[in-house]
Amino acid sequence: MPSSQILLLELDATSGEVISTTLTGVGFAVETVTDSAEAVRRAGDFSLVIIDQTDPAKSPADVCREIRATPELAPVPVLCIGQTEDVEERIRFLEAGADDVVAKPFDQRELEARVEALLLRFQRSRALAPMAASDGGMVHRVRRTVVAYSPKGGSGTTTVAVNVAVAHAAGRPGRVLIVDLDLQFGQVATLLNLTPKQTIADLVRDEQSQREPELLKTYVSHHESGLEVLAAPGSPELADLVTEASVGRILETALLAYDAVVVDAGAHLDARTMAALDAADTILIPVYPEIAALKAVQALLDFVNETGSISAKTTFVLNNVFAKQILKMRDVENGLGAKVDCTLPYDAFLYHKAANEGNPVVRGAAQSAAAVALVQLAATAFGETVGQADGGRERRGRGLSGLLKRT
Ligand SMILES: Nc1ncnc2c1ncn2[C@@H]1O[C@H](COP(=O)(O)OP(=O)(O)OP(=O)(O)O)[C@@H](O)[C@H]1O
Ligand SMILES: [Mg+2]
C-alpha cells in the first residue's frame, strides 16, 4: 500500500475532509495546513503537495508559482484542485507550474489515480535524475528503459531485445532486467534457455509486488549472463490478465529495482504496448527491408504521433533477415521517412543456432559481425555512445497511454 506523505493546503474544512479521507482511505498520509506560507516552507518534507482553497491574499496559482520558483522543490509534484471545470482556471494552474489539475466535482477514484500517477512519475524522474559527466560540469540524462517493438512480426524484435539486454548486462550482474511483454507467445525465456518458475502472469495477481522493488524481484528468473528475466505468461489465455495499469506499475517499479530495463513489446499494438512505449527512454524499432514492413512502421508512427511524438526517442534498426537485398538503404529510409540508425547483418545460421541452443549471439558468437552490431546497438540504446546521450533528438513528448482503450 502507498505510504507517501501528502501536504494539503486547504482553507475549506469540508473540502479538506473529502480529499483527506479519500487519500488516507487508500493508505496515504495526509497533513492539512491552512497557511500558504507554511505550505511553501514545508513542501520539501512531503512527496506531493495538493493545493485546494487558499487565503484570498494569495491565490492557489500564486502558491503553486512560488513552489515552482524554488529550485529545491523541483522534485516535489504539485497537484492543483480546480474549483470548476473552467478551462481558463486549468490553464492558469498549468502556467503556474502545476504538474496536474483535478477539477471539482471529481470522482474520488480519479483523485486517487492522479495522485498515484504523479507520485510514480516523480519517483521515476528522481531515479533518472541527471548525472554529472566525468569531464566536469556537463550533465546528461541516463537512459534506462529500452523498449523493442515492431508493428511487423518477424522483424527481429525478440532477437534485438534479448541481445541488447544480455550485452548490457555484461559486467552488471543482477542489475539489468528484461521484461517479455509479447504476452501471448513471448519467447524471451526460450532464447535464453530458461524455464521460468514464475511469469508476469503471476506478478499481475500480486499488486503489492508490482509496487515494491524487492518483492518484484521475487518473480524473475536468473540467466547465467547476469541478466534477470521477467518472462511472458506460459499460456496465451493468461495474457489478458496483464492490464495497461499493471504494465505501467511494473515498469516503474522495475526501474527502482534495476539499473536498466529492456522490454520485448512484441508486434501487437494495444494499450499495454502503448504504456510500454510511453515508459521508454529509447524505442528500438527493428524493420526488415520490405515495402510492407516499412509501410507498417509509417502507419505506426502516424498513429502514435497523433498524441505524442515517439520519433525523438526512436532508433530504427534495419534487420537484414533476407539473404538477398532488393531494397537499397535509400529506399528503406525513404519508405520509413526516417534515418536508419543501425544495421544488423544477415546471418541465418548464427541466429538459427542461437535460438535453438538458447544462447544469444552476443554470447555464443561474440566475435561475429552480428554480435558486434548488437553490442553497438546496446550502447546506442542506453546512450553510451560518445555524443549520443540523447541522440541529438531529445524532444519532449506528451503521454501516449490513453490513446487506446484500456485492456
Ligand atoms: N539478421 C538476421 N538474419 C537472419 N535471420 C534473422 C535475423 N534476425 C532475426 N532472424 C531470424 O528471424 C526470425 C524472427 O526473429 P525474432 O523472433 O527475433 O523476430 P520477432 O520480431 O520477435 O518475431 P515475432 O513477431 O514472432 O515475435 C528468427 O528465426 C530469427 O532467428
Ligand atoms: Mg518476438
Side-chain angles (χ1 to χ4, degrees), residues 155-359:
S155 303
T157 308
T158 305
T159 302
V160 163
V162 166
N163 281 282
V164 162
V166 169
H168 195 64
R172 300 179 177 93
R175 288 162 49 200
V176 182
L177 174 73
I178 184 166
V179 179
D180 194 347
L181 277 187
D182 184 353
L183 295 165
Q184 285 197 310
F185 300 105
Q187 295 302 326
V188 166
T190 312
L191 291 198
L192 292 166
N193 195 23
L194 289 173
T195 312
K197 288 200 182 66
Q198 310 233 62
T199 74
I200 194 167
D202 301 298
L203 177 57
V204 293
R205 294 184 177 110
D206 176 355
E207 205 171 314
Q208 200 186 358
S209 296
Q210 293 167 40
R211 295 177 198 278
E212 292 190 19
E214 287 311 310
L215 294 178
L216 182 138
K217 283 183 172 183
T218 62
Y219 286 86
V220 307
S221 313
H222 310 286
H223 183 250
E224 59 194 15
S225 63
L227 177 66
E228 309 268 286
V229 181
L230 182 56
S235 154
E237 75 211 22
L238 299 173
D240 287 348
L241 294 174
V242 182
T243 62
E244 174 193 3
S246 60
V247 168
R249 275 195 296 272
I250 289 167
L251 295 183
E252 293 282 353
T253 307
L255 259 198
L256 301 173
Y258 297 93
D259 289 354
V261 178
V262 177
V263 179
D264 176 357
H268 182 71
L269 189 67
D270 62 16
R272 301 169 297 189
T273 327
M274 295 295 272
L277 295 179
D278 207 9
D281 296 304
T282 303
I283 300 172
L284 300 178
I285 302 190
V287 55
Y288 52 79
E290 195 178 85
I291 295 296
L294 301 174
K295 287 206 162 163
V297 173
Q298 251 189 10
L300 166 78
L301 294 179
D302 287 348
F303 180 63
V304 296
N305 284 344
E306 275 174 24
T307 57
S309 173
I310 62 163
S311 306
K313 56 183 183 181
T314 299
T315 294
F316 290 101
V317 181
L318 177 61
N319 190 12
N320 287 296
V321 297
F322 306 121
K324 281 206 169 32
Q325 287 180 24
I326 296 176
L327 296 186
K328 298 202 166 49
M329 179 62 97
R330 201 182 50 235
D331 304 322
V332 172
E333 293 190 330
N334 283 342
L336 281 175
K339 227 179 126 335
V340 166
D341 304 272
C342 165
T343 302
L344 301 178
Y346 172 76
D347 200 326
F349 173 73
L350 267 192
Y351 283 113
H352 192 51
K353 185 167 178 288
N356 283 321
E357 291 177 355
N359 191 19

Side-chain angles (χ1 to χ4, degrees), residues 65-205:
R65 203 170 289 110
E66 214 172 303
I67 292 176
R68 280 291 153 258
T70 312
E72 306 84 76
L73 297 179
V76 182
V78 178
L79 172 70
C80 288
I81 307 285
Q83 302 309 310
T84 63
E85 280 173 353
D86 178 20
V87 176
E88 295 301 322
E89 184 187 36
R90 173 178 286 266
I91 291 172
R92 259 199 315 281
F93 284 141
L94 294 174
E95 283 178 347
D99 297 290
D100 204 355
V101 182
V102 177
K104 287 182 186 170
F106 52 77
D107 185 293
Q108 295 187 351
R109 285 164 310 168
E110 186 193 354
L111 180 66
E112 268 170 53
R114 300 270 189 147
V115 163
E116 205 160 296
L118 267 183
L119 286 168
L120 275 173
R121 180 143 64 86
F122 274 70
Q123 194 178 26
R124 181 159 183 265
S125 36
R126 275 196 295 277
L128 294 172
M131 285 193 359
S134 52
D135 55 358
M138 251 189 66
V139 290
H140 63 81
R141 210 157 72 89
V142 181
R143 289 194 271 164
R144 302 204 309 166
T145 302
V146 172
V147 175
Y149 171 77
S150 176
K152 262 295 204 197
S155 303
T157 308
T158 305
T159 302
V160 163
V162 166
N163 281 282
V164 162
V166 169
H168 195 64
R172 300 179 177 93
R175 288 162 49 200
V176 182
L177 174 73
I178 184 166
V179 179
D180 194 347
L181 277 187
D182 184 353
L183 295 165
Q184 285 197 310
F185 300 105
Q187 295 302 326
V188 166
T190 312
L191 291 198
L192 292 166
N193 195 23
L194 289 173
T195 312
K197 288 200 182 66
Q198 310 233 62
T199 74
I200 194 167
D202 301 298
L203 177 57
V204 293
R205 294 184 177 110

